[in-house]
Amino acid sequence: MKKISIVIILFITCGFINHKYYVSTSLFNFTESNSVEITVRIFKDDLSSLMERKYSNEYNSNSDLDSPLIQSKIREYLETNISIYFDNIKYHPKCLGTENKNDLIVCYLELEKIPISNIIKLENKILFELFLDQKNIIHVKKNNNKQSFILTKDNSDYTLDI
């Protein structure tokens, strides 16, 4: 009986150790210069899995995320999957670049000369096609006001009344 209890405890413990959370974080910073600066943090292994699945002809597990070809694919992916709507008109921010920080890829995007609008919808569909339980944590900063919320595959956008 004691051996069975130990096996069950080890099985449960190992299950929790191997469990992985799929999450990205994004900061949408509305600046006084009439732009939105976006910083996205994605785990390297998740981004690598996405690149391998989506761009299998150009990318494999031995590929370098810093190569010019892969950087162009990352930019294309980010610019397609992050959108901001002002008065129901869709805008795609421009990807300025990425950098490696430990286990993360930090991506920088910007949307300049944003229109004046009281209703803004943010859309972030990063990694939803790869992981069913992906969560995208969004932080919004505008005029010293901060808001945070979580996007999921079933709810990939959030409307702000600022």
Side-chain angles (χ1 to χ4, degrees):
M1 182 70 173
K2 207 174 203 182
K3 287 182 182 180
I4 293 173
S5 297
I6 291 172
V7 171
I8 290 172
I9 290 171
L10 284 174
F11 179 74
I12 291 172
T13 305
C14 290
F16 284 118
I17 291 170
N18 291 328
H19 179 73
K20 183 171 181 179
Y21 295 97
Y22 300 104
V23 66
S24 77
T25 60
S26 303
L27 169 63
F28 287 75
N29 184 26
F30 289 80
T31 69
E32 292 180 11
S33 63
N34 204 32
S35 68
V36 181
E37 298 170 343
I38 304 164
T39 305
V40 181
R41 288 174 171 75
I42 307 170
F43 285 104
K44 282 182 190 178
D45 59 338
D46 294 346
L47 189 58
S48 292
S49 295
L50 175 81
M51 291 292 120
E52 194 167 353
R53 177 186 249 180
K54 192 166 180 72
Y55 305 108
S56 59
N57 293 338
E58 296 97 354
Y59 186 88
N60 63 51
S61 59
N62 296 325
S63 297
D64 182 9
L65 286 172
D66 290 326
S67 75
L69 174 64
I70 300 307
Q71 282 292 307
S72 72
K73 297 298 182 188
I74 292 171
R75 283 186 175 95
E76 175 186 314
Y77 180 77
L78 291 170
E79 290 174 359
T80 302
N81 287 282
I82 295 177
S83 306
I84 303 174
Y85 294 78
F86 297 95
D87 294 327
N88 293 321
I89 299 172
K90 187 176 192 176
Y91 295 85
H92 292 281
K94 180 181 179 190
C95 185
L96 304 175
T98 66
E99 71 177 312
N100 291 310
K101 286 194 176 179
N102 301 321
D103 293 342
L104 298 173
I105 298 289
V106 181
C107 311
Y108 302 98
L109 298 94
E110 184 174 35
L111 182 59
E112 296 181 308
K113 299 178 184 173
I114 60 174
I116 296 172
S117 176
N118 289 331
I119 298 177
I120 302 166
K121 182 167 84 170
L122 305 176
E123 183 176 63
N124 181 339
K125 297 188 276 182
I126 292 174
L127 300 174
F128 286 153
E129 73 271 30
L130 189 61
F131 306 115
L132 295 176
D133 54 349
Q134 173 71 28
K135 306 264 189 291
N136 293 332
I137 300 169
I138 306 295
H139 304 287
V140 178
K141 185 177 175 187
K142 183 175 182 186
N143 300 332
N144 293 325
N145 293 324
K146 295 179 184 177
Q147 298 181 36
S148 297
F149 46 92
I150 298 174
L151 299 179
T152 63
K153 183 176 180 118
D154 296 331
N155 187 17
S156 64
D157 60 63
Y158 187 80
T159 302
L160 304 163
D161 188 9
I162 298 180

